[in-house]
Amino acid sequence: MSKDREKVRRLMVSINRIDGIWYHLARRSGVKVNMLSLLFALDDGTPRTQKQICEEWIIPKTTINTIVKECVAAGYVRLLQNGHSREKLLYLTPEGQAYAQKALRLFYQVENAAMERTLQSCSPAFIEDIGRYAENLREEAEKADAIL
C-alpha cells in the first residue's frame, strides 16, 4: 500500500470512529441522530435554511423536512421569511434553545474535553486542514461524476 493510500485509510478509519462515537452518544441521549444534527446546526444562533442544513450536514431534504415539522409542532423551531426567497430561515425558539442545550450537553462536554486534549499536542490548524481535505475530496468526486 502506498504511503498516501495508508494516510487516507487512517483518516477514513478515524472519521468512521468519530461517527460511531457520535452515534453512540446520540443513542445514549435518547435523541435521533438527525434531530441532533438539526440542533447542532441551529445551536450557534445563526438562522439557516433547510437547504443550507442539508448541504452542510449531508442530510436528505426529506429527512430534514420531517424533523423540521416535528420541531415546529413541538415549538422548538420557528420559520422566518427569507427576503423574496421561498426558502424560509429556521431558528430555535427559547424552548428550542433550552431543549438543544439539554440534548447537546453530553456532546459538548465530551467534545470540549477531547478538543482540549487534542490541542495540547496538535495545532488548531488541523481543523482547517481536515476541512480543506473534505473540500478537495468533494471537488474530486464531482470531477469523477462528470467522467462517469
Side-chain angles (χ1 to χ4, degrees), residues 8 18 28 41 62 65-66 68 78 83 106 112 121 134 147:
V8 170
I18 291 167
R28 233 176 111 192
T62 54
N65 192 31
T66 300
V68 167
R78 286 229 170 85
L106 177 61
N112 290 343
S121 60
I147 293 170

Side-chain angles (χ1 to χ4, degrees), residues 1-134:
M1 184 178 309
S2 74
K3 287 183 181 182
D4 285 344
R5 183 74 234 136
E6 178 58 27
K7 288 176 186 173
V8 170
R9 179 177 167 68
R10 287 177 48 213
L11 176 61
M12 295 311 297
V13 167
S14 295
I15 289 169
N16 283 326
R17 289 180 64 206
I18 291 167
D19 284 346
I21 292 163
W22 211 78
Y23 178 79
H24 175 75
L25 290 172
R27 289 195 60 186
R28 233 176 111 192
S29 75
V31 180
K32 296 179 212 170
V33 172
N34 290 323
M35 172 69 81
L36 287 167
S37 296
L38 178 64
L39 295 175
F40 267 110
L42 296 175
D43 192 45
D44 69 354
T46 302
R48 290 175 174 78
T49 65
Q50 288 186 40
K51 182 179 178 183
Q52 289 170 321
I53 294 168
C54 290
E55 290 171 358
E56 185 175 45
W57 291 84
I58 318 294
I59 300 172
K61 290 178 187 178
T62 54
T63 302
I64 284 294
N65 192 31
T66 300
I67 295 167
V68 167
K69 285 179 183 178
E70 290 174 18
C71 286
V72 168
Y76 297 151
V77 170
R78 286 229 170 85
L79 307 172
L80 294 172
Q81 190 61 42
N82 185 16
H84 297 291
S85 172
R86 287 182 42 213
E87 280 279 326
K88 292 190 171 39
L89 290 169
L90 310 174
Y91 74 95
L92 291 175
T93 63
E95 295 82 9
Q97 290 170 355
Y99 178 70
Q101 286 303 308
K102 181 179 176 189
L104 300 174
R105 182 177 297 124
L106 177 61
F107 290 88
Y108 288 156
Q109 175 187 341
V110 170
E111 290 173 342
N112 290 343
M115 182 60 72
E116 184 178 316
R117 288 178 53 202
T118 302
L119 292 176
Q120 289 173 2
S121 60
C122 298
S123 162
F126 87 93
I127 298 165
E128 285 77 27
D129 295 341
I130 291 171
R132 188 175 311 111
Y133 176 75

